[in-house]
Structure formats: structure tokens, C-alpha cells
Amino acid sequence: MTLNFSQTLDPSDSSNSPCVIVGVFTDGGLSPAAARIDSASSGAIKRLLDSSDITAKAGSSALLFALPGIKSERVLIVGLGDKAKFNAAAFNKASLEAGRALKSLPVASAASWLTELDVPGHDSAWKLRTAALAADMHAYRYTATLKPKDKAKAPQLESIAFFGEKDDRALAEAAAMAKGVRFARELGNLPPNICTPEYIAKQASEFADAKKGVSCEVLEREEMEKLGMGSLLGVAKGSVNTPRLVVLRWNGGGEAKPYALVGKGVTFDSGGISLKPGPAMEEMKFDMCGAAGMLGTFVSAVELDLPLNLVCVVAAVENMPDGNSYRPSDVLTSMSGQTIEVLNTDAEGRLILCDALTYVQKFEPQVIIDAATLTGACVVALGKHASGLMTEDEELASELLAAGNHTLDRAWRLPLWDDYQSALDSAFADFTNLGGKYGGAITAGCFLSRFTTGYRWAHLDIAGTAWNEGRKGLATGRPVPLLTQYLIDRCA
Ligand code: BES
Ligand code: MN
Ligand code: ZN
């Protein structure tokens, strides 16, 4: 369950909420709500700032308890940084800090006045959505495999009210995106002995069963064999967790051609016979985050009842070394008929996506978008802040980049020029699954492009953005905000 979001116009100083959240700037400037609380409490906030006990640096916060003259027991002061530089990024940073601070408080609800702040170029719906997603990002906690005593440590926060005129559409969009993000994060975080291809298929079909207007079809190995998906099945050979191709459909747009979402769902990527080195191999449970992101986007879109048609295809496979594994130098025949020389069994994502991309064409989509944790090279190129966007369609590129900028779930474009294609040349098949030494994110994109000829298609490499690395790193739910916004914009 996500947080419950609402809107309020009650003044901050007389709020009944157990915790009110207000912002302060580094030049000593108070937000209107902070100023009200300050005067109602005979200058408590100003005195605190003057004392330098707290700074107003963006991303900082301080909790004041039982201020005289203030109804609310707690006032959470959030630093906003320099007033002259206050922008969308600073607003998001402050909202995230509020969420972080809230999760350790013994409160079930809170009221945030951050949304009254002016954010240049952004309206109140944007502020609500951004602040709500930031709060929910921190309110989520992974508990599925924890002991009951550890489960109990989950944040108590259940609902949060934001200052602003009631706007049902904005609230619905915030709630739907939060729901999609949580769906993606939970699937991503589950361990690979639970989150198998079968499990992903079950989650999708349970969602379809619960939602009117959603249908789900799950293809198993035999059906994929009949369809000639030799590339996807090649990857699947080494695992006892048999593959699934999950197909979800939403018909909200009458006779219009659907938007197709295709996700890489490698539930664990050991590398296969081209085994990965040990360090951080456990992070390869997140190699299904493309699938999780597409399912999460689908959930958001359905939740919003978007008036368009959608088909979501998830290729769910485990990549393992085994006596039955595919191997380097195997030649696979993809569903498209094109043959592929396997030069590295760790370049498996493209091998399962290519058959999913061919399969989805039977729905005559107007646009195909895939998301995949496809290459470490993309993380080297862009770091962990931007997803890599590859497409030859200028309009699609600008629409996706705009949706990413708007939601702060940003992507950055990499070229798909023909110059890179020859890196895939093979003497034994139509091409190989391995590019050269350089431009690995792009050559992976080039590989996929060979399966989408004639379609408006874009590829998102989310290898750097889908999860936070390290022992405590969790799935982020990206690119659900970007793609949900893209779909919302198509309905405008
Ligand atoms: N799932 C990985 C990509 C990956 C690696 C994502 C590290 C995030 C962090 C993918 O299947 C893979 O192994 N890619 C190889 C491709 C190479 C063999 C051409 C890579 O990036 O090293
Ligand atoms: Mn791999
Ligand atoms: Zn992989």
C-alpha cells in the first residue's frame, strides 16, 4: 500500500496534524508557512536559525517538538538552500529529505507546506506529484523476507496532506504513479529464489484478474518453441526456472493502435557460462527491473484509466551456467529468422528482448518502447543519474526526454548511427550478440534495432538507474515515472 495523499488549505500554525513540514531558505528567508509558525511561536524558528543550530542547506532538516503556540506537536523544518536558486531539483531534494526524516517519526500522518513554494516553470499539480512521490519513496520499506520483529520497524506514516487547492486529477496521477513505482520496486527487491519467471507471470496475471479491462496471457517454453523464439530459449536453457513470456493488454482507447512496452526480466543474471566475477553478483537479481518497470508503468496507466491501448510484453528468464546451458559460439535462430552467433552468454538481455520485440509486432503497435538493465557500459557512460535513451525517431526522443525531465526521472540520448552497426559483424551467423571494446550501450542498442525495423521504437538502458548499489541498495522504480508521464502526455 502506498501512502494516502490528500490536499489541505488549513493554515500551518493551526494544523491538527502530528507533524507539519515547512521550509526555510539559507538567507534566513522563511516560507509563508514557516513565517506563520514563527510568529505564532514568538519567533522560535528565527531564533533557531540565528543560533546556527540548524542550517537551511538544501537537503538538511531539523525537528522541533512542542513549540509554544503551535497546535501540532512536531514542526519539521526543511532546508531549501538559496532562495534565488530554488528550482525543481531543490524542491525535489527538500521533498525527499522530508520523506527521509518522516520515516523515523512515530506519526501516522503529516502535513506538508512545501507545496506552497513557488517552483519556477512548474504548476501545483507538478509540486503535489513530486512531493508525494518523494514521500512515498521513503515510506516504502522492503519487508517480504524479514522476521516479524524486523517487519515491525516499518515506518508508521500512512498518509500525508499537502498544502493546496483540491485537484482530483493531480491526486490521482500522484497516487497512480506511486502505485506503479511500488509495484516495480517490490518485484525488483525480491530475491531471485522467490522472484522467478513463474513468479513474475503470477504477479501479472493476478493484477489482470483484479482489474476490469486487463487481460493477461502467459506463454511457456512449448509455446515459445512453436513461435521459433530460439534466441530467448537459448538463454533460458541453463536454468531449472523455466522461462515465461508475459503479455498484458489494456484496451482503453477503442480501435487505436497500442503503445507497446517491452521489458527485460532476467530474474538472475549469473552471466551463464561466461560467468560473472563474484563481487556484486548478487545485484544481478535486479536484472529484471526493465520488466518490473514496464509492469509498474502498466499498473499506473490502468490505475489512471488512460484512454489508450497498451500491450506490455515481459520476457522473464534466468541466466545460469549448467550442463544444458547455451555457450559462446552457439548460433541461435531468433523468431525474426535472423541468426545470432553467441560470443558471450552474459550479453543475454538483448537475446531475450529481440524475440519479445518481434513477438509484440503482432499487435501492430504504433510505438514500441523497451526498458532493460542492458549494459554496464551505459553506467560507465552516464553514471547513475540518467537512463540511456536510444532511438532513431526524433519526435519519440523529444517526447521521452521531456517526460523524463518533467518527472525528474531523466534520460539522456545516445546515438544509434549506422557507424556502430559493424561492431556486430559475424563470420558464422547474421551477426553476433557482442559489440567491440567501445560504446557497449550503443552496440547493444544497435543489436535491438535489427528487430524493430519499420517501427517507431525507443530503447531505455536503465542499468544505472533501476536500483541503488550497495548492501542496502533498493530498486528505485525507475523508469515508471518517465513512462507513465509519456503515456499521460499522449492522452492530452
Ligand atoms: N545485466 C547486465 C548489465 C549490467 C551489468 C547492468 C552491471 C547493471 C550492472 C547484462 O546482461 C550484461 O551482463 N552485460 C554485459 C554485456 C557485455 C557482455 C557485452 C556487460 O555490461 O558487461
Ligand atoms: Mn548479462
Ligand atoms: Zn543481464
Side-chain angles (χ1 to χ4, degrees), residues 85-113:
K85 289 190 203 144
F86 192 66
N87 60 10
F91 178 84
N92 191 42
K93 202 165 177 187
S95 301
L96 282 165
E97 171 57 19
R100 194 203 58 76
L102 276 174
K103 78 175 152 194
S104 50
L105 296 179
V107 298
S109 67
S112 170
W113 268 262

mmCIF file of all heavy atoms in Angstrom, residues 85-113:
data_model
loop_
_atom_site.group_PDB
_atom_site.id
_atom_site.type_symbol
_atom_site.label_atom_id
_atom_site.label_comp_id
_atom_site.label_asym_id
_atom_site.label_seq_id
_atom_site.Cartn_x
_atom_site.Cartn_y
_atom_site.Cartn_z
ATOM 1 N N LYS A 85 18.155 30.482 -6.073
ATOM 2 C CA LYS A 85 18.442 29.300 -6.902
ATOM 3 C C LYS A 85 17.385 28.213 -6.750
ATOM 4 O O LYS A 85 17.554 27.112 -7.281
ATOM 5 C CB LYS A 85 19.805 28.712 -6.500
ATOM 6 C CG LYS A 85 20.985 29.553 -6.911
ATOM 7 C CD LYS A 85 22.285 28.760 -6.696
ATOM 8 C CE LYS A 85 23.472 29.683 -6.544
ATOM 9 N NZ LYS A 85 24.447 29.168 -5.569
ATOM 10 N N PHE A 86 16.322 28.506 -6.007
ATOM 11 C CA PHE A 86 15.325 27.474 -5.744
ATOM 12 C C PHE A 86 14.644 27.039 -7.050
ATOM 13 O O PHE A 86 14.100 27.841 -7.793
ATOM 14 C CB PHE A 86 14.287 27.975 -4.745
ATOM 15 C CG PHE A 86 13.405 26.885 -4.221
ATOM 16 C CD1 PHE A 86 13.930 25.871 -3.417
ATOM 17 C CD2 PHE A 86 12.052 26.839 -4.549
ATOM 18 C CE1 PHE A 86 13.119 24.851 -2.931
ATOM 19 C CE2 PHE A 86 11.238 25.824 -4.069
ATOM 20 C CZ PHE A 86 11.780 24.827 -3.261
ATOM 21 N N ASN A 87 14.714 25.744 -7.330
ATOM 22 C CA ASN A 87 14.166 25.230 -8.590
ATOM 23 C C ASN A 87 13.591 23.822 -8.384
ATOM 24 O O ASN A 87 13.466 23.359 -7.239
ATOM 25 C CB ASN A 87 15.267 25.209 -9.666
ATOM 26 C CG ASN A 87 16.441 24.332 -9.260
ATOM 27 O OD1 ASN A 87 16.379 23.598 -8.268
ATOM 28 N ND2 ASN A 87 17.508 24.391 -10.023
ATOM 29 N N ALA A 88 13.281 23.175 -9.489
ATOM 30 C CA ALA A 88 12.648 21.852 -9.425
ATOM 31 C C ALA A 88 13.523 20.846 -8.661
ATOM 32 O O ALA A 88 13.028 20.082 -7.830
ATOM 33 C CB ALA A 88 12.381 21.339 -10.840
ATOM 34 N N ALA A 89 14.832 20.883 -8.934
ATOM 35 C CA ALA A 89 15.734 19.928 -8.279
ATOM 36 C C ALA A 89 15.790 20.180 -6.772
ATOM 37 O O ALA A 89 15.783 19.237 -5.971
ATOM 38 C CB ALA A 89 17.130 20.023 -8.894
ATOM 39 N N ALA A 90 15.835 21.465 -6.383
ATOM 40 C CA ALA A 90 15.883 21.804 -4.954
ATOM 41 C C ALA A 90 14.573 21.423 -4.274
ATOM 42 O O ALA A 90 14.567 20.932 -3.134
ATOM 43 C CB ALA A 90 16.174 23.297 -4.775
ATOM 44 N N PHE A 91 13.489 21.629 -4.967
ATOM 45 C CA PHE A 91 12.182 21.244 -4.414
ATOM 46 C C PHE A 91 12.137 19.737 -4.184
ATOM 47 O O PHE A 91 11.684 19.254 -3.140
ATOM 48 C CB PHE A 91 11.058 21.655 -5.375
ATOM 49 C CG PHE A 91 9.687 21.257 -4.893
ATOM 50 C CD1 PHE A 91 8.995 22.052 -4.001
ATOM 51 C CD2 PHE A 91 9.098 20.069 -5.324
ATOM 52 C CE1 PHE A 91 7.734 21.681 -3.532
ATOM 53 C CE2 PHE A 91 7.843 19.685 -4.866
ATOM 54 C CZ PHE A 91 7.168 20.498 -3.962
ATOM 55 N N ASN A 92 12.635 18.994 -5.154
ATOM 56 C CA ASN A 92 12.644 17.530 -5.027
ATOM 57 C C ASN A 92 13.554 17.087 -3.889
ATOM 58 O O ASN A 92 13.213 16.187 -3.114
ATOM 59 C CB ASN A 92 13.090 16.909 -6.359
ATOM 60 C CG ASN A 92 12.880 15.410 -6.388
ATOM 61 O OD1 ASN A 92 11.858 14.915 -5.930
ATOM 62 N ND2 ASN A 92 13.861 14.685 -6.906
ATOM 63 N N LYS A 93 14.700 17.738 -3.783
ATOM 64 C CA LYS A 93 15.651 17.408 -2.719
ATOM 65 C C LYS A 93 15.023 17.644 -1.348
ATOM 66 O O LYS A 93 15.136 16.806 -0.433
ATOM 67 C CB LYS A 93 16.911 18.268 -2.891
ATOM 68 C CG LYS A 93 18.132 17.702 -2.223
ATOM 69 C CD LYS A 93 19.394 18.380 -2.736
ATOM 70 C CE LYS A 93 20.596 17.836 -1.984
ATOM 71 N NZ LYS A 93 21.822 18.549 -2.302
ATOM 72 N N ALA A 94 14.353 18.779 -1.205
ATOM 73 C CA ALA A 94 13.700 19.103 0.066
ATOM 74 C C ALA A 94 12.578 18.087 0.348
ATOM 75 O O ALA A 94 12.400 17.636 1.487
ATOM 76 C CB ALA A 94 13.148 20.516 0.024
ATOM 77 N N SER A 95 11.847 17.725 -0.684
ATOM 78 C CA SER A 95 10.744 16.768 -0.513
ATOM 79 C C SER A 95 11.266 15.397 -0.098
ATOM 80 O O SER A 95 10.666 14.713 0.735
ATOM 81 C CB SER A 95 9.946 16.640 -1.810
ATOM 82 O OG SER A 95 9.426 17.900 -2.195
ATOM 83 N N LEU A 96 12.391 14.999 -0.697
ATOM 84 C CA LEU A 96 12.989 13.706 -0.336
ATOM 85 C C LEU A 96 13.489 13.726 1.102
ATOM 86 O O LEU A 96 13.339 12.742 1.835
ATOM 87 C CB LEU A 96 14.137 13.367 -1.299
ATOM 88 C CG LEU A 96 13.719 12.845 -2.674
ATOM 89 C CD1 LEU A 96 14.886 12.886 -3.650
ATOM 90 C CD2 LEU A 96 13.155 11.424 -2.590
ATOM 91 N N GLU A 97 14.088 14.860 1.504
ATOM 92 C CA GLU A 97 14.584 14.967 2.881
ATOM 93 C C GLU A 97 13.418 14.903 3.870
ATOM 94 O O GLU A 97 13.517 14.253 4.917
ATOM 95 C CB GLU A 97 15.395 16.253 3.051
ATOM 96 C CG GLU A 97 15.786 16.579 4.491
ATOM 97 C CD GLU A 97 16.586 15.469 5.183
ATOM 98 O OE1 GLU A 97 17.149 14.598 4.492
ATOM 99 O OE2 GLU A 97 16.623 15.467 6.434
ATOM 100 N N ALA A 98 12.322 15.543 3.532
ATOM 101 C CA ALA A 98 11.142 15.483 4.402
ATOM 102 C C ALA A 98 10.706 14.019 4.553
ATOM 103 O O ALA A 98 10.427 13.551 5.663
ATOM 104 C CB ALA A 98 10.012 16.328 3.823
ATOM 105 N N GLY A 99 10.682 13.293 3.451
ATOM 106 C CA GLY A 99 10.289 11.881 3.478
ATOM 107 C C GLY A 99 11.254 11.059 4.321
ATOM 108 O O GLY A 99 10.840 10.196 5.103
ATOM 109 N N ARG A 100 12.540 11.358 4.186
ATOM 110 C CA ARG A 100 13.546 10.611 4.945
ATOM 111 C C ARG A 100 13.372 10.850 6.447
ATOM 112 O O ARG A 100 13.414 9.925 7.255
ATOM 113 C CB ARG A 100 14.949 11.020 4.496
ATOM 114 C CG ARG A 100 16.064 10.097 4.957
ATOM 115 C CD ARG A 100 17.422 10.795 4.979
ATOM 116 N NE ARG A 100 17.421 11.974 5.834
ATOM 117 C CZ ARG A 100 17.456 11.953 7.168
ATOM 118 N NH1 ARG A 100 17.526 10.803 7.804
ATOM 119 N NH2 ARG A 100 17.428 13.086 7.861
ATOM 120 N N ALA A 101 13.163 12.123 6.799
ATOM 121 C CA ALA A 101 13.005 12.454 8.220
ATOM 122 C C ALA A 101 11.715 11.868 8.794
ATOM 123 O O ALA A 101 11.685 11.408 9.936
ATOM 124 C CB ALA A 101 13.020 13.977 8.398
ATOM 125 N N LEU A 102 10.678 11.863 7.999
ATOM 126 C CA LEU A 102 9.372 11.379 8.468
ATOM 127 C C LEU A 102 9.385 9.903 8.817
ATOM 128 O O LEU A 102 8.663 9.452 9.704
ATOM 129 C CB LEU A 102 8.304 11.600 7.385
ATOM 130 C CG LEU A 102 7.635 12.966 7.318
ATOM 131 C CD1 LEU A 102 6.738 13.016 6.089
ATOM 132 C CD2 LEU A 102 6.830 13.221 8.590
ATOM 133 N N LYS A 103 10.206 9.143 8.117
ATOM 134 C CA LYS A 103 10.070 7.700 8.280
ATOM 135 C C LYS A 103 10.541 7.207 9.653
ATOM 136 O O LYS A 103 10.173 6.111 10.061
ATOM 137 C CB LYS A 103 10.737 6.937 7.143
ATOM 138 C CG LYS A 103 12.222 6.808 7.216
ATOM 139 C CD LYS A 103 12.707 5.927 6.084
ATOM 140 C CE LYS A 103 14.111 6.317 5.715
ATOM 141 N NZ LYS A 103 14.533 5.756 4.450
ATOM 142 N N SER A 104 11.307 8.028 10.361
ATOM 143 C CA SER A 104 11.727 7.568 11.684
ATOM 144 C C SER A 104 10.870 8.170 12.800
ATOM 145 O O SER A 104 11.150 7.974 13.982
ATOM 146 C CB SER A 104 13.209 7.882 11.908
ATOM 147 O OG SER A 104 13.453 9.223 11.583
ATOM 148 N N LEU A 105 9.828 8.922 12.432
ATOM 149 C CA LEU A 105 8.965 9.531 13.449
ATOM 150 C C LEU A 105 7.762 8.626 13.760
ATOM 151 O O LEU A 105 7.264 7.948 12.873
ATOM 152 C CB LEU A 105 8.453 10.891 12.961
ATOM 153 C CG LEU A 105 9.510 11.970 12.729
ATOM 154 C CD1 LEU A 105 8.847 13.247 12.236
ATOM 155 C CD2 LEU A 105 10.318 12.215 13.991
ATOM 156 N N PRO A 106 7.305 8.681 15.022
ATOM 157 C CA PRO A 106 6.162 7.841 15.396
ATOM 158 C C PRO A 106 4.834 8.505 15.039
ATOM 159 O O PRO A 106 3.970 8.663 15.884
ATOM 160 C CB PRO A 106 6.339 7.722 16.915
ATOM 161 C CG PRO A 106 6.950 9.025 17.310
ATOM 162 C CD PRO A 106 7.837 9.443 16.167
ATOM 163 N N VAL A 107 4.688 8.889 13.777
ATOM 164 C CA VAL A 107 3.441 9.551 13.364
ATOM 165 C C VAL A 107 2.805 8.789 12.202
ATOM 166 O O VAL A 107 3.504 8.262 11.338
ATOM 167 C CB VAL A 107 3.676 11.021 12.945
ATOM 168 C CG1 VAL A 107 4.210 11.835 14.116
ATOM 169 C CG2 VAL A 107 4.613 11.120 11.749
ATOM 170 N N ALA A 108 1.484 8.747 12.216
ATOM 171 C CA ALA A 108 0.770 8.060 11.139
ATOM 172 C C ALA A 108 0.412 9.016 10.010
ATOM 173 O O ALA A 108 0.136 8.596 8.896
ATOM 174 C CB ALA A 108 -0.495 7.404 11.680
ATOM 175 N N SER A 109 0.440 10.328 10.334
ATOM 176 C CA SER A 109 0.117 11.284 9.284
ATOM 177 C C SER A 109 0.968 12.534 9.439
ATOM 178 O O SER A 109 1.556 12.785 10.495
ATOM 179 C CB SER A 109 -1.366 11.642 9.331
ATOM 180 O OG SER A 109 -1.632 12.350 10.519
ATOM 181 N N ALA A 110 1.044 13.301 8.367
ATOM 182 C CA ALA A 110 1.820 14.536 8.375
ATOM 183 C C ALA A 110 1.183 15.505 7.392
ATOM 184 O O ALA A 110 0.376 15.100 6.551
ATOM 185 C CB ALA A 110 3.269 14.257 7.993
ATOM 186 N N ALA A 111 1.536 16.779 7.537
ATOM 187 C CA ALA A 111 1.024 17.795 6.619
ATOM 188 C C ALA A 111 2.195 18.624 6.120
ATOM 189 O O ALA A 111 2.972 19.148 6.919
ATOM 190 C CB ALA A 111 0.008 18.675 7.331
ATOM 191 N N SER A 112 2.343 18.696 4.816
ATOM 192 C CA SER A 112 3.488 19.388 4.234
ATOM 193 C C SER A 112 3.072 20.685 3.556
ATOM 194 O O SER A 112 2.174 20.699 2.713
ATOM 195 C CB SER A 112 4.182 18.482 3.213
ATOM 196 O OG SER A 112 5.141 19.239 2.491
ATOM 197 N N TRP A 113 3.779 21.756 3.931
ATOM 198 C CA TRP A 113 3.525 23.055 3.291
ATOM 199 C C TRP A 113 4.581 23.373 2.241
ATOM 200 O O TRP A 113 4.649 24.481 1.748
ATOM 201 C CB TRP A 113 3.443 24.157 4.366
ATOM 202 C CG TRP A 113 2.016 24.324 4.770
ATOM 203 C CD1 TRP A 113 1.147 25.264 4.315
ATOM 204 C CD2 TRP A 113 1.281 23.495 5.662
ATOM 205 N NE1 TRP A 113 -0.086 25.048 4.862
ATOM 206 C CE2 TRP A 113 -0.027 23.983 5.682
ATOM 207 C CE3 TRP A 113 1.593 22.354 6.421
ATOM 208 C CZ2 TRP A 113 -1.033 23.381 6.455
ATOM 209 C CZ3 TRP A 113 0.613 21.769 7.183
ATOM 210 C CH2 TRP A 113 -0.694 22.278 7.193
#
